[in-house]
Amino acid sequence: RAFERAFSANSKAMEQYAANQGKAPPVVKEYAYGMKLDVVKIVSVVKPPATCAVVPTVMTYEDSKGQLNTLRYTVAGECRQRG
């Protein structure tokens, strides 16, 4: 749930960013292992939650053609075990 809220807020922010830059809003793509990425500038990354699990996140970036792309992928959460 927290990720979906952050993802929704990020999507709206990236749509506004695209409009301000005179660019088309980014389309969300699912990352596949081995996918070739053309990243020139990272615009936004949704921070993973503080949990000891694999969680989804998204990154929006500009490619060498100046187009905005949003990539959805999984990462290890920010695990903070206290002992």
Side-chain angles (χ1 to χ4, degrees):
R1 261 171 63 125
F3 170 74
E4 292 304 324
R5 284 192 304 267
F7 177 66
S8 178
N10 186 70
S11 293
K12 289 176 186 172
M14 291 301 96
E15 286 175 11
Q16 185 63 48
Y17 176 85
N20 291 344
Q21 300 295 314
K23 299 178 185 284
V27 174
V28 179
K29 299 175 192 167
E30 293 287 330
Y31 177 75
Y33 182 77
M35 183 183 236
K36 301 289 184 200
L37 301 178
D38 176 20
V39 180
V40 172
K41 176 183 173 186
I42 296 175
V43 177
S44 174
V45 177
V46 172
K47 185 178 178 187
T51 184
C52 294
V54 174
V55 294
T57 192
V58 292
M59 170 180 71
T60 300
Y61 63 93
E62 281 188 32
D63 62 22
S64 61
K65 296 176 185 169
Q67 296 176 327
L68 294 172
N69 302 276
T70 297
L71 192 65
R72 185 176 174 140
Y73 57 103
T74 55
V75 296
E78 298 279 328
C79 187
R80 297 182 187 150
Q81 290 193 1
R82 295 189 171 112

